[in-house]
Amino acid sequence: MKAIVITSPGGPEVLQLQEVDEPELKDDEVLIKVEASGLNQADTVQRSGAYPPPKGASHYLGVECSGTILALGKSVSRWKIGDQVCALLSGGGYAEKVAVPDGQVLPIPPGVSVKDAGSLPEVACTVWSTVFMMSQLSVGETFLVHGGSSGIGTFAIQIAKYYGARVFVTAGSDKKLAVCKDLGADVCINYKTEDFVKRVKEETGGKGVDVILDHIGASYLKQNIESLNFDGRLFIIGTMGGSVTEVDLRALLLKRLTVQSAGLRYRSPENKAVIVSEVEKNVWPAIVAGRVKPVIYKYFPLSDAAEAHQLMENSAHIGKILLVPQFSG
């Protein structure tokens, strides 16, 4: 089969389409013919040599995909050959075929094309596990997501609104904020021209928000803590703004704050299966109802993975970028 190979750690130009061996199928896995694979920030970090796949996982890029089941491992009972599905992967999505544990596979939600469903597993599992399962965002609460126009952000806005939260976003341009507003965001903040802490305080009567989802890390930690309400929860899912900083613990003590962090990729298959099951139960109905929609910026042929990575790193996109092995324009 063909797959994108990292020829050596580096920039987008190190990505090349090559002929490689097909994945070996384990007893609890399904083999998927890939229709589309979503790009994620983690892919660019792995490409540069800093985010190795978990032990035993495919060393090819790609942590989510959609497609059709070609083969079943001996112990797989839920799925059958020919089923159209999407899946959360530990790696291997940038390829024509990928093997994945059956507990990380989801049906395509009615009303979503197989291709577009390749944009859903990583964002749905990330947002549901962090904002809802761990941070316990509930109806009537306030929620701030940084990078509101990203794949994570566009999804988080919609699912938080579906569950009755008041949604705040930051983004770096008026065009991006307009998309966030259209998706349901209540308060849209341009972080380049506004102090987001000040605006959050103004919009909440001085209280702050209840939950923050942050991918920036160190450079935003102090402002995030200042932006939280009493009993507020900050969830950190990335360190684009650095990983080391100082914090005054008295701020956490005074306001009874919780700061948590987690990634999806290094969780055990059992743990991922629990999250995937919760997503199917709690997120898929919102998609079926048309209240949460995939936001796709652009499709690229698999062979143009380098160009797709360049676009992602330029941050000009809104929503998700997809790679399509059988690209037809």
Side-chain angles (χ1 to χ4, degrees), residues 39-41 64 119 123-124 126-127 143 145-158 169-173 175-177 179-180 183 191 213-216 237 240 293-297 312 315-321:
L39 261 68
N40 289 277
Q41 207 65 51
E64 62 184 340
S119 71
V123 291
T126 296
V127 173
F143 168 59
V145 57
H146 291 298
S149 62
S150 66
I152 293 275
T154 52
F155 188 88
I157 292 165
Q158 296 179 84
V169 300
T170 63
S173 75
K175 184 183 174 188
K176 288 180 174 181
L177 290 170
V179 172
C180 295
L183 290 170
Y191 68 82
L213 184 63
D214 171 58
H215 66 287
I216 301 295
I237 55 167
M240 287 179 72
K293 294 185 170 84
V295 179
I296 315 289
Y297 185 73
M312 176 163 240
S315 287
H317 64 290
I318 293 170
K320 294 286 288 193
I321 301 165

Side-chain angles (χ1 to χ4, degrees), residues 217-239:
S219 63
Y220 267 21
L221 184 61
K222 187 171 182 289
Q223 293 109 297
N224 280 333
I225 288 169
E226 285 175 29
S227 300
L228 283 169
N229 193 3
F230 281 90
D231 298 306
R233 291 88 77 196
L234 166 62
F235 209 105
I236 300 167
I237 55 167
T239 54

Side-chain angles (χ1 to χ4, degrees), residues 37-38 40 43 46 60-64 89-94 98 265:
S37 182
N40 289 277
D43 304 340
Q46 183 179 338
Y60 303 122
L61 293 169
V63 292
E64 62 184 340
L89 313 171
S90 296
Y94 288 24
V98 66
R265 196 178 195 190

Side-chain angles (χ1 to χ4, degrees), residues 25-30 69 71-81 83 85 100-105:
L25 194 62
K26 298 187 183 122
D27 286 353
D28 66 342
E29 291 181 334
V30 302
I69 294 180
L72 307 169
K74 288 182 198 146
S75 61
V76 176
S77 56
R78 176 177 178 183
W79 308 103
K80 59 185 191 298
I81 290 168
D83 281 348
V85 295
V100 57
D102 64 337
Q104 291 165 223
V105 178

